[in-house]
mmCIF file with all atom_site columns, all heavy atoms in Angstrom:
data_model
loop_
_atom_site.group_PDB
_atom_site.id
_atom_site.type_symbol
_atom_site.label_atom_id
_atom_site.label_alt_id
_atom_site.label_comp_id
_atom_site.label_asym_id
_atom_site.label_entity_id
_atom_site.label_seq_id
_atom_site.pdbx_PDB_ins_code
_atom_site.Cartn_x
_atom_site.Cartn_y
_atom_site.Cartn_z
_atom_site.occupancy
_atom_site.B_iso_or_equiv
_atom_site.pdbx_formal_charge
_atom_site.auth_seq_id
_atom_site.auth_comp_id
_atom_site.auth_asym_id
_atom_site.auth_atom_id
_atom_site.pdbx_PDB_model_num
ATOM 1   N N   . ARG L 1 1  ? 78.976 147.874 114.604 1.00 98.00 ? 1  ARG L N   1
ATOM 2   C CA  . ARG L 1 1  ? 78.423 146.575 114.829 1.00 98.00 ? 1  ARG L CA  1
ATOM 3   C C   . ARG L 1 1  ? 78.022 145.898 113.472 1.00 98.00 ? 1  ARG L C   1
ATOM 4   O O   . ARG L 1 1  ? 78.090 144.686 113.372 1.00 98.00 ? 1  ARG L O   1
ATOM 5   C CB  . ARG L 1 1  ? 77.188 146.663 115.716 1.00 98.00 ? 1  ARG L CB  1
ATOM 6   C CG  . ARG L 1 1  ? 77.492 147.172 117.098 1.00 98.00 ? 1  ARG L CG  1
ATOM 7   C CD  . ARG L 1 1  ? 76.253 147.053 118.000 1.00 98.00 ? 1  ARG L CD  1
ATOM 8   N NE  . ARG L 1 1  ? 75.150 147.878 117.500 1.00 98.00 ? 1  ARG L NE  1
ATOM 9   C CZ  . ARG L 1 1  ? 73.947 147.408 117.208 1.00 98.00 ? 1  ARG L CZ  1
ATOM 10  N NH1 . ARG L 1 1  ? 73.682 146.132 117.333 1.00 98.00 ? 1  ARG L NH1 1
ATOM 11  N NH2 . ARG L 1 1  ? 73.009 148.220 116.779 1.00 98.00 ? 1  ARG L NH2 1
ATOM 12  N N   . PHE L 1 2  ? 77.542 146.693 112.537 1.00 98.00 ? 2  PHE L N   1
ATOM 13  C CA  . PHE L 1 2  ? 77.079 146.173 111.259 1.00 98.00 ? 2  PHE L CA  1
ATOM 14  C C   . PHE L 1 2  ? 78.090 146.476 110.162 1.00 98.00 ? 2  PHE L C   1
ATOM 15  O O   . PHE L 1 2  ? 78.747 147.522 110.192 1.00 98.00 ? 2  PHE L O   1
ATOM 16  C CB  . PHE L 1 2  ? 75.716 146.766 110.862 1.00 98.00 ? 2  PHE L CB  1
ATOM 17  C CG  . PHE L 1 2  ? 74.578 146.386 111.735 1.00 98.00 ? 2  PHE L CG  1
ATOM 18  C CD1 . PHE L 1 2  ? 74.762 145.691 112.919 1.00 98.00 ? 2  PHE L CD1 1
ATOM 19  C CD2 . PHE L 1 2  ? 73.266 146.745 111.331 1.00 98.00 ? 2  PHE L CD2 1
ATOM 20  C CE1 . PHE L 1 2  ? 73.673 145.304 113.700 1.00 98.00 ? 2  PHE L CE1 1
ATOM 21  C CE2 . PHE L 1 2  ? 72.177 146.399 112.118 1.00 98.00 ? 2  PHE L CE2 1
ATOM 22  C CZ  . PHE L 1 2  ? 72.364 145.687 113.280 1.00 98.00 ? 2  PHE L CZ  1
ATOM 23  N N   . THR L 1 3  ? 78.150 145.603 109.203 1.00 98.00 ? 3  THR L N   1
ATOM 24  C CA  . THR L 1 3  ? 78.988 145.760 108.000 1.00 98.00 ? 3  THR L CA  1
ATOM 25  C C   . THR L 1 3  ? 78.287 145.433 106.744 1.00 98.00 ? 3  THR L C   1
ATOM 26  O O   . THR L 1 3  ? 77.714 144.323 106.659 1.00 98.00 ? 3  THR L O   1
ATOM 27  C CB  . THR L 1 3  ? 80.280 144.913 108.145 1.00 98.00 ? 3  THR L CB  1
ATOM 28  O OG1 . THR L 1 3  ? 80.994 145.213 109.319 1.00 98.00 ? 3  THR L OG1 1
ATOM 29  C CG2 . THR L 1 3  ? 81.212 145.192 106.947 1.00 98.00 ? 3  THR L CG2 1
ATOM 30  N N   . ILE L 1 4  ? 78.259 146.343 105.787 1.00 97.00 ? 4  ILE L N   1
ATOM 31  C CA  . ILE L 1 4  ? 77.624 146.097 104.539 1.00 97.00 ? 4  ILE L CA  1
ATOM 32  C C   . ILE L 1 4  ? 78.686 145.744 103.478 1.00 97.00 ? 4  ILE L C   1
ATOM 33  O O   . ILE L 1 4  ? 79.792 146.334 103.501 1.00 97.00 ? 4  ILE L O   1
ATOM 34  C CB  . ILE L 1 4  ? 76.766 147.297 104.066 1.00 97.00 ? 4  ILE L CB  1
ATOM 35  C CG1 . ILE L 1 4  ? 75.968 146.952 102.818 1.00 97.00 ? 4  ILE L CG1 1
ATOM 36  C CG2 . ILE L 1 4  ? 77.628 148.529 103.853 1.00 97.00 ? 4  ILE L CG2 1
ATOM 37  C CD1 . ILE L 1 4  ? 74.940 148.016 102.412 1.00 97.00 ? 4  ILE L CD1 1
ATOM 38  N N   . SER L 1 5  ? 78.410 144.838 102.622 1.00 96.00 ? 5  SER L N   1
ATOM 39  C CA  . SER L 1 5  ? 79.389 144.435 101.586 1.00 96.00 ? 5  SER L CA  1
ATOM 40  C C   . SER L 1 5  ? 78.608 143.908 100.431 1.00 96.00 ? 5  SER L C   1
ATOM 41  O O   . SER L 1 5  ? 77.384 143.690 100.475 1.00 96.00 ? 5  SER L O   1
ATOM 42  C CB  . SER L 1 5  ? 80.353 143.406 102.117 1.00 96.00 ? 5  SER L CB  1
ATOM 43  O OG  . SER L 1 5  ? 79.666 142.185 102.497 1.00 96.00 ? 5  SER L OG  1
ATOM 44  N N   . ARG L 1 6  ? 79.268 143.701 99.308  1.00 93.00 ? 6  ARG L N   1
ATOM 45  C CA  . ARG L 1 6  ? 78.643 143.145 98.129  1.00 93.00 ? 6  ARG L CA  1
ATOM 46  C C   . ARG L 1 6  ? 79.496 142.177 97.439  1.00 93.00 ? 6  ARG L C   1
ATOM 47  O O   . ARG L 1 6  ? 80.770 142.254 97.460  1.00 93.00 ? 6  ARG L O   1
ATOM 48  C CB  . ARG L 1 6  ? 78.192 144.274 97.178  1.00 93.00 ? 6  ARG L CB  1
ATOM 49  C CG  . ARG L 1 6  ? 79.296 145.086 96.573  1.00 93.00 ? 6  ARG L CG  1
ATOM 50  C CD  . ARG L 1 6  ? 78.752 146.442 95.993  1.00 93.00 ? 6  ARG L CD  1
ATOM 51  N NE  . ARG L 1 6  ? 77.661 146.205 95.061  1.00 93.00 ? 6  ARG L NE  1
ATOM 52  C CZ  . ARG L 1 6  ? 76.833 147.185 94.713  1.00 93.00 ? 6  ARG L CZ  1
ATOM 53  N NH1 . ARG L 1 6  ? 76.945 148.400 95.199  1.00 93.00 ? 6  ARG L NH1 1
ATOM 54  N NH2 . ARG L 1 6  ? 75.835 146.942 93.820  1.00 93.00 ? 6  ARG L NH2 1
ATOM 55  N N   . GLU L 1 7  ? 78.902 141.212 96.749  1.00 92.00 ? 7  GLU L N   1
ATOM 56  C CA  . GLU L 1 7  ? 79.580 140.244 95.989  1.00 92.00 ? 7  GLU L CA  1
ATOM 57  C C   . GLU L 1 7  ? 79.037 140.309 94.570  1.00 92.00 ? 7  GLU L C   1
ATOM 58  O O   . GLU L 1 7  ? 77.931 139.813 94.281  1.00 92.00 ? 7  GLU L O   1
ATOM 59  C CB  . GLU L 1 7  ? 79.371 138.819 96.567  1.00 92.00 ? 7  GLU L CB  1
ATOM 60  C CG  . GLU L 1 7  ? 80.168 137.715 95.866  1.00 92.00 ? 7  GLU L CG  1
ATOM 61  C CD  . GLU L 1 7  ? 80.014 136.413 96.569  1.00 92.00 ? 7  GLU L CD  1
ATOM 62  O OE1 . GLU L 1 7  ? 79.279 136.312 97.564  1.00 92.00 ? 7  GLU L OE1 1
ATOM 63  O OE2 . GLU L 1 7  ? 80.611 135.409 96.117  1.00 92.00 ? 7  GLU L OE2 1
ATOM 64  N N   . TYR L 1 8  ? 79.830 140.919 93.683  1.00 87.00 ? 8  TYR L N   1
ATOM 65  C CA  . TYR L 1 8  ? 79.361 141.173 92.351  1.00 87.00 ? 8  TYR L CA  1
ATOM 66  C C   . TYR L 1 8  ? 79.058 139.951 91.556  1.00 87.00 ? 8  TYR L C   1
ATOM 67  O O   . TYR L 1 8  ? 78.086 139.944 90.737  1.00 87.00 ? 8  TYR L O   1
ATOM 68  C CB  . TYR L 1 8  ? 80.377 142.074 91.578  1.00 87.00 ? 8  TYR L CB  1
ATOM 69  C CG  . TYR L 1 8  ? 80.449 143.468 92.102  1.00 87.00 ? 8  TYR L CG  1
ATOM 70  C CD1 . TYR L 1 8  ? 81.437 143.877 93.013  1.00 87.00 ? 8  TYR L CD1 1
ATOM 71  C CD2 . TYR L 1 8  ? 79.537 144.414 91.663  1.00 87.00 ? 8  TYR L CD2 1
ATOM 72  C CE1 . TYR L 1 8  ? 81.450 145.177 93.479  1.00 87.00 ? 8  TYR L CE1 1
ATOM 73  C CE2 . TYR L 1 8  ? 79.579 145.712 92.118  1.00 87.00 ? 8  TYR L CE2 1
ATOM 74  C CZ  . TYR L 1 8  ? 80.552 146.089 93.042  1.00 87.00 ? 8  TYR L CZ  1
ATOM 75  O OH  . TYR L 1 8  ? 80.578 147.389 93.471  1.00 87.00 ? 8  TYR L OH  1
ATOM 76  N N   . ALA L 1 9  ? 79.827 138.902 91.707  1.00 86.00 ? 9  ALA L N   1
ATOM 77  C CA  . ALA L 1 9  ? 79.612 137.685 90.933  1.00 86.00 ? 9  ALA L CA  1
ATOM 78  C C   . ALA L 1 9  ? 78.267 137.075 91.183  1.00 86.00 ? 9  ALA L C   1
ATOM 79  O O   . ALA L 1 9  ? 77.731 136.332 90.337  1.00 86.00 ? 9  ALA L O   1
ATOM 80  C CB  . ALA L 1 9  ? 80.722 136.711 91.205  1.00 86.00 ? 9  ALA L CB  1
ATOM 81  N N   . LYS L 1 10 ? 77.710 137.286 92.377  1.00 90.00 ? 10 LYS L N   1
ATOM 82  C CA  . LYS L 1 10 ? 76.389 136.743 92.734  1.00 90.00 ? 10 LYS L CA  1
ATOM 83  C C   . LYS L 1 10 ? 75.309 137.785 92.800  1.00 90.00 ? 10 LYS L C   1
ATOM 84  O O   . LYS L 1 10 ? 74.192 137.476 93.231  1.00 90.00 ? 10 LYS L O   1
ATOM 85  C CB  . LYS L 1 10 ? 76.506 135.994 94.063  1.00 90.00 ? 10 LYS L CB  1
ATOM 86  C CG  . LYS L 1 10 ? 77.365 134.777 93.994  1.00 90.00 ? 10 LYS L CG  1
ATOM 87  C CD  . LYS L 1 10 ? 77.337 133.974 95.280  1.00 90.00 ? 10 LYS L CD  1
ATOM 88  C CE  . LYS L 1 10 ? 78.112 132.669 95.153  1.00 90.00 ? 10 LYS L CE  1
ATOM 89  N NZ  . LYS L 1 10 ? 78.013 131.889 96.403  1.00 90.00 ? 10 LYS L NZ  1
ATOM 90  N N   . ASN L 1 11 ? 75.600 139.028 92.404  1.00 90.00 ? 11 ASN L N   1
ATOM 91  C CA  . ASN L 1 11 ? 74.631 140.074 92.470  1.00 90.00 ? 11 ASN L CA  1
ATOM 92  C C   . ASN L 1 11 ? 73.949 140.172 93.854  1.00 90.00 ? 11 ASN L C   1
ATOM 93  O O   . ASN L 1 11 ? 72.756 140.287 93.971  1.00 90.00 ? 11 ASN L O   1
ATOM 94  C CB  . ASN L 1 11 ? 73.519 139.919 91.380  1.00 90.00 ? 11 ASN L CB  1
ATOM 95  C CG  . ASN L 1 11 ? 74.045 140.157 90.002  1.00 90.00 ? 11 ASN L CG  1
ATOM 96  O OD1 . ASN L 1 11 ? 75.138 140.706 89.801  1.00 90.00 ? 11 ASN L OD1 1
ATOM 97  N ND2 . ASN L 1 11 ? 73.271 139.726 88.994  1.00 90.00 ? 11 ASN L ND2 1
ATOM 98  N N   . THR L 1 12 ? 74.803 140.108 94.864  1.00 94.00 ? 12 THR L N   1
ATOM 99  C CA  . THR L 1 12 ? 74.250 140.004 96.230  1.00 94.00 ? 12 THR L CA  1
ATOM 100 C C   . THR L 1 12 ? 74.922 141.035 97.130  1.00 94.00 ? 12 THR L C   1
ATOM 101 O O   . THR L 1 12 ? 76.139 141.264 97.016  1.00 94.00 ? 12 THR L O   1
ATOM 102 C CB  . THR L 1 12 ? 74.474 138.609 96.774  1.00 94.00 ? 12 THR L CB  1
ATOM 103 O OG1 . THR L 1 12 ? 73.777 137.655 95.985  1.00 94.00 ? 12 THR L OG1 1
ATOM 104 C CG2 . THR L 1 12 ? 73.948 138.499 98.210  1.00 94.00 ? 12 THR L CG2 1
ATOM 105 N N   . VAL L 1 13 ? 74.147 141.635 97.960  1.00 96.00 ? 13 VAL L N   1
ATOM 106 C CA  . VAL L 1 13 ? 74.656 142.538 99.006  1.00 96.00 ? 13 VAL L CA  1
ATOM 107 C C   . VAL L 1 13 ? 74.369 141.917 100.325 1.00 96.00 ? 13 VAL L C   1
ATOM 108 O O   . VAL L 1 13 ? 73.327 141.254 100.516 1.00 96.00 ? 13 VAL L O   1
ATOM 109 C CB  . VAL L 1 13 ? 74.024 143.948 98.878  1.00 96.00 ? 13 VAL L CB  1
ATOM 110 C CG1 . VAL L 1 13 ? 72.540 143.943 99.107  1.00 96.00 ? 13 VAL L CG1 1
ATOM 111 C CG2 . VAL L 1 13 ? 74.707 144.900 99.829  1.00 96.00 ? 13 VAL L CG2 1
ATOM 112 N N   . TYR L 1 14 ? 75.254 142.095 101.281 1.00 97.00 ? 14 TYR L N   1
ATOM 113 C CA  . TYR L 1 14 ? 75.118 141.474 102.594 1.00 97.00 ? 14 TYR L CA  1
ATOM 114 C C   . TYR L 1 14 ? 75.116 142.562 103.654 1.00 97.00 ? 14 TYR L C   1
ATOM 115 O O   . TYR L 1 14 ? 75.604 143.655 103.506 1.00 97.00 ? 14 TYR L O   1
ATOM 116 C CB  . TYR L 1 14 ? 76.348 140.554 102.879 1.00 97.00 ? 14 TYR L CB  1
ATOM 117 C CG  . TYR L 1 14 ? 76.529 139.481 101.852 1.00 97.00 ? 14 TYR L CG  1
ATOM 118 C CD1 . TYR L 1 14 ? 77.465 139.621 100.831 1.00 97.00 ? 14 TYR L CD1 1
ATOM 119 C CD2 . TYR L 1 14 ? 75.777 138.310 101.902 1.00 97.00 ? 14 TYR L CD2 1
ATOM 120 C CE1 . TYR L 1 14 ? 77.605 138.651 99.852  1.00 97.00 ? 14 TYR L CE1 1
ATOM 121 C CE2 . TYR L 1 14 ? 75.969 137.325 100.956 1.00 97.00 ? 14 TYR L CE2 1
ATOM 122 C CZ  . TYR L 1 14 ? 76.873 137.484 99.942  1.00 97.00 ? 14 TYR L CZ  1
ATOM 123 O OH  . TYR L 1 14 ? 77.026 136.498 99.004  1.00 97.00 ? 14 TYR L OH  1
ATOM 124 N N   . LEU L 1 15 ? 74.487 142.149 104.792 1.00 98.00 ? 15 LEU L N   1
ATOM 125 C CA  . LEU L 1 15 ? 74.563 142.981 105.980 1.00 98.00 ? 15 LEU L CA  1
ATOM 126 C C   . LEU L 1 15 ? 74.934 142.066 107.144 1.00 98.00 ? 15 LEU L C   1
ATOM 127 O O   . LEU L 1 15 ? 74.114 141.262 107.581 1.00 98.00 ? 15 LEU L O   1
ATOM 128 C CB  . LEU L 1 15 ? 73.203 143.668 106.245 1.00 98.00 ? 15 LEU L CB  1
ATOM 129 C CG  . LEU L 1 15 ? 73.226 144.646 107.473 1.00 98.00 ? 15 LEU L CG  1
ATOM 130 C CD1 . LEU L 1 15 ? 74.094 145.872 107.170 1.00 98.00 ? 15 LEU L CD1 1
ATOM 131 C CD2 . LEU L 1 15 ? 71.810 145.040 107.815 1.00 98.00 ? 15 LEU L CD2 1
ATOM 132 N N   . GLN L 1 16 ? 76.173 142.158 107.556 1.00 98.00 ? 16 GLN L N   1
ATOM 133 C CA  . GLN L 1 16 ? 76.635 141.412 108.690 1.00 98.00 ? 16 GLN L CA  1
ATOM 134 C C   . GLN L 1 16 ? 76.310 142.162 109.974 1.00 98.00 ? 16 GLN L C   1
ATOM 135 O O   . GLN L 1 16 ? 76.733 143.301 110.124 1.00 98.00 ? 16 GLN L O   1
ATOM 136 C CB  . GLN L 1 16 ? 78.155 141.155 108.621 1.00 98.00 ? 16 GLN L CB  1
ATOM 137 C CG  . GLN L 1 16 ? 78.761 140.459 109.801 1.00 98.00 ? 16 GLN L CG  1
ATOM 138 C CD  . GLN L 1 16 ? 78.260 139.002 109.868 1.00 98.00 ? 16 GLN L CD  1
ATOM 139 O OE1 . GLN L 1 16 ? 78.245 138.285 108.898 1.00 98.00 ? 16 GLN L OE1 1
ATOM 140 N NE2 . GLN L 1 16 ? 77.874 138.581 111.102 1.00 98.00 ? 16 GLN L NE2 1
ATOM 141 N N   . MET L 1 17 ? 75.560 141.547 110.853 1.00 98.00 ? 17 MET L N   1
ATOM 142 C CA  . MET L 1 17 ? 75.086 142.172 112.038 1.00 98.00 ? 17 MET L CA  1
ATOM 143 C C   . MET L 1 17 ? 75.645 141.438 113.244 1.00 98.00 ? 17 MET L C   1
ATOM 144 O O   . MET L 1 17 ? 75.370 140.276 113.498 1.00 98.00 ? 17 MET L O   1
ATOM 145 C CB  . MET L 1 17 ? 73.567 142.191 112.095 1.00 98.00 ? 17 MET L CB  1
ATOM 146 C CG  . MET L 1 17 ? 72.873 142.825 110.907 1.00 98.00 ? 17 MET L CG  1
ATOM 147 S SD  . MET L 1 17 ? 71.115 142.926 111.065 1.00 98.00 ? 17 MET L SD  1
ATOM 148 C CE  . MET L 1 17 ? 70.689 141.187 111.096 1.00 98.00 ? 17 MET L CE  1
ATOM 149 N N   . ASN L 1 18 ? 76.474 142.161 113.991 1.00 98.00 ? 18 ASN L N   1
ATOM 150 C CA  . ASN L 1 18 ? 77.115 141.589 115.217 1.00 98.00 ? 18 ASN L CA  1
ATOM 151 C C   . ASN L 1 18 ? 76.576 142.332 116.457 1.00 98.00 ? 18 ASN L C   1
ATOM 152 O O   . ASN L 1 18 ? 76.047 143.451 116.381 1.00 98.00 ? 18 ASN L O   1
ATOM 153 C CB  . ASN L 1 18 ? 78.594 141.717 115.125 1.00 98.00 ? 18 ASN L CB  1
ATOM 154 C CG  . ASN L 1 18 ? 79.219 140.906 114.011 1.00 98.00 ? 18 ASN L CG  1
ATOM 155 O OD1 . ASN L 1 18 ? 78.720 139.879 113.631 1.00 98.00 ? 18 ASN L OD1 1
ATOM 156 N ND2 . ASN L 1 18 ? 80.332 141.449 113.478 1.00 98.00 ? 18 ASN L ND2 1
ATOM 157 N N   . SER L 1 19 ? 76.746 141.706 117.564 1.00 98.00 ? 19 SER L N   1
ATOM 158 C CA  . SER L 1 19 ? 76.357 142.312 118.829 1.00 98.00 ? 19 SER L CA  1
ATOM 159 C C   . SER L 1 19 ? 74.932 142.835 118.793 1.00 98.00 ? 19 SER L C   1
ATOM 160 O O   . SER L 1 19 ? 74.655 143.977 119.173 1.00 98.00 ? 19 SER L O   1
ATOM 161 C CB  . SER L 1 19 ? 77.338 143.428 119.254 1.00 98.00 ? 19 SER L CB  1
ATOM 162 O OG  . SER L 1 19 ? 78.667 142.930 119.349 1.00 98.00 ? 19 SER L OG  1
ATOM 163 N N   . LEU L 1 20 ? 74.048 142.059 118.310 1.00 98.00 ? 20 LEU L N   1
ATOM 164 C CA  . LEU L 1 20 ? 72.661 142.477 118.151 1.00 98.00 ? 20 LEU L CA  1
ATOM 165 C C   . LEU L 1 20 ? 72.007 142.820 119.488 1.00 98.00 ? 20 LEU L C   1
ATOM 166 O O   . LEU L 1 20 ? 72.233 142.183 120.502 1.00 98.00 ? 20 LEU L O   1
ATOM 167 C CB  . LEU L 1 20 ? 71.855 141.355 117.431 1.00 98.00 ? 20 LEU L CB  1
ATOM 168 C CG  . LEU L 1 20 ? 72.125 141.260 115.958 1.00 98.00 ? 20 LEU L CG  1
ATOM 169 C CD1 . LEU L 1 20 ? 71.611 139.945 115.389 1.00 98.00 ? 20 LEU L CD1 1
ATOM 170 C CD2 . LEU L 1 20 ? 71.418 142.453 115.252 1.00 98.00 ? 20 LEU L CD2 1
ATOM 171 N N   . LYS L 1 21 ? 71.135 143.802 119.434 1.00 98.00 ? 21 LYS L N   1
ATOM 172 C CA  . LYS L 1 21 ? 70.446 144.328 120.579 1.00 98.00 ? 21 LYS L CA  1
ATOM 173 C C   . LYS L 1 21 ? 68.942 144.196 120.306 1.00 98.00 ? 21 LYS L C   1
ATOM 174 O O   . LYS L 1 21 ? 68.484 144.173 119.181 1.00 98.00 ? 21 LYS L O   1
ATOM 175 C CB  . LYS L 1 21 ? 70.803 145.782 120.831 1.00 98.00 ? 21 LYS L CB  1
ATOM 176 C CG  . LYS L 1 21 ? 72.262 146.084 120.978 1.00 98.00 ? 21 LYS L CG  1
ATOM 177 C CD  . LYS L 1 21 ? 72.486 147.573 121.033 1.00 98.00 ? 21 LYS L CD  1
ATOM 178 C CE  . LYS L 1 21 ? 73.979 147.916 121.171 1.00 98.00 ? 21 LYS L CE  1
ATOM 179 N NZ  . LYS L 1 21 ? 74.190 149.372 121.236 1.00 98.00 ? 21 LYS L NZ  1
ATOM 180 N N   . PRO L 1 22 ? 68.123 144.159 121.371 1.00 98.00 ? 22 PRO L N   1
ATOM 181 C CA  . PRO L 1 22 ? 66.694 144.136 121.192 1.00 98.00 ? 22 PRO L CA  1
ATOM 182 C C   . PRO L 1 22 ? 66.142 145.276 120.347 1.00 98.00 ? 22 PRO L C   1
ATOM 183 O O   . PRO L 1 22 ? 65.203 145.088 119.574 1.00 98.00 ? 22 PRO L O   1
ATOM 184 C CB  . PRO L 1 22 ? 66.147 144.189 122.629 1.00 98.00 ? 22 PRO L CB  1
ATOM 185 C CG  . PRO L 1 22 ? 67.193 143.509 123.433 1.00 98.00 ? 22 PRO L CG  1
ATOM 186 C CD  . PRO L 1 22 ? 68.496 143.963 122.791 1.00 98.00 ? 22 PRO L CD  1
ATOM 187 N N   . GLU L 1 23 ? 66.780 146.435 120.449 1.00 97.00 ? 23 GLU L N   1
ATOM 188 C CA  . GLU L 1 23 ? 66.360 147.558 119.652 1.00 97.00 ? 23 GLU L CA  1
ATOM 189 C C   . GLU L 1 23 ? 66.622 147.399 118.151 1.00 97.00 ? 23 GLU L C   1
ATOM 190 O O   . GLU L 1 23 ? 66.141 148.229 117.369 1.00 97.00 ? 23 GLU L O   1
ATOM 191 C CB  . GLU L 1 23 ? 67.076 148.820 120.143 1.00 97.00 ? 23 GLU L CB  1
ATOM 192 C CG  . GLU L 1 23 ? 68.587 148.825 119.975 1.00 97.00 ? 23 GLU L CG  1
ATOM 193 C CD  . GLU L 1 23 ? 69.320 149.868 120.782 1.00 97.00 ? 23 GLU L CD  1
ATOM 194 O OE1 . GLU L 1 23 ? 69.131 149.924 122.005 1.00 97.00 ? 23 GLU L OE1 1
ATOM 195 O OE2 . GLU L 1 23 ? 70.028 150.715 120.185 1.00 97.00 ? 23 GLU L OE2 1
ATOM 196 N N   . ASP L 1 24 ? 67.359 146.384 117.770 1.00 98.00 ? 24 ASP L N   1
ATOM 197 C CA  . ASP L 1 24 ? 67.593 146.050 116.376 1.00 98.00 ? 24 ASP L CA  1
ATOM 198 C C   . ASP L 1 24 ? 66.420 145.309 115.761 1.00 98.00 ? 24 ASP L C   1
ATOM 199 O O   . ASP L 1 24 ? 66.402 145.089 114.531 1.00 98.00 ? 24 ASP L O   1
ATOM 200 C CB  . ASP L 1 24 ? 68.843 145.264 116.164 1.00 98.00 ? 24 ASP L CB  1
ATOM 201 C CG  . ASP L 1 24 ? 70.085 146.022 116.524 1.00 98.00 ? 24 ASP L CG  1
ATOM 202 O OD1 . ASP L 1 24 ? 70.182 147.285 116.229 1.00 98.00 ? 24 ASP L OD1 1
ATOM 203 O OD2 . ASP L 1 24 ? 71.040 145.446 117.162 1.00 98.00 ? 24 ASP L OD2 1
ATOM 204 N N   . THR L 1 25 ? 65.479 144.883 116.570 1.00 98.00 ? 25 THR L N   1
ATOM 205 C CA  . THR L 1 25 ? 64.362 144.130 116.100 1.00 98.00 ? 25 THR L CA  1
ATOM 206 C C   . THR L 1 25 ? 63.551 144.964 115.088 1.00 98.00 ? 25 THR L C   1
ATOM 207 O O   . THR L 1 25 ? 63.093 146.071 115.383 1.00 98.00 ? 25 THR L O   1
ATOM 208 C CB  . THR L 1 25 ? 63.413 143.712 117.222 1.00 98.00 ? 25 THR L CB  1
ATOM 209 O OG1 . THR L 1 25 ? 64.141 142.804 118.078 1.00 98.00 ? 25 THR L OG1 1
ATOM 210 C CG2 . THR L 1 25 ? 62.174 142.999 116.726 1.00 98.00 ? 25 THR L CG2 1
#
């Protein structure tokens, strides 16, 4: 459901969260 990635040019890491559930709160 989740995907982690990074963009070196912006010194940024991302967490794409799909199909979120209440337990993800």
Side-chain angles (χ1 to χ4, degrees):
R1 298 188 297 121
F2 291 9
T3 302
I4 187 171
S5 62
R6 65 197 305 163
E7 186 174 0
Y8 288 97
K10 294 187 175 182
N11 290 345
T12 300
V13 64
Y14 304 98
L15 185 68
Q16 177 67 46
M17 305 184 295
N18 298 327
S19 301
L20 283 163
K21 306 174 181 179
E23 64 194 57
D24 295 319
T25 296

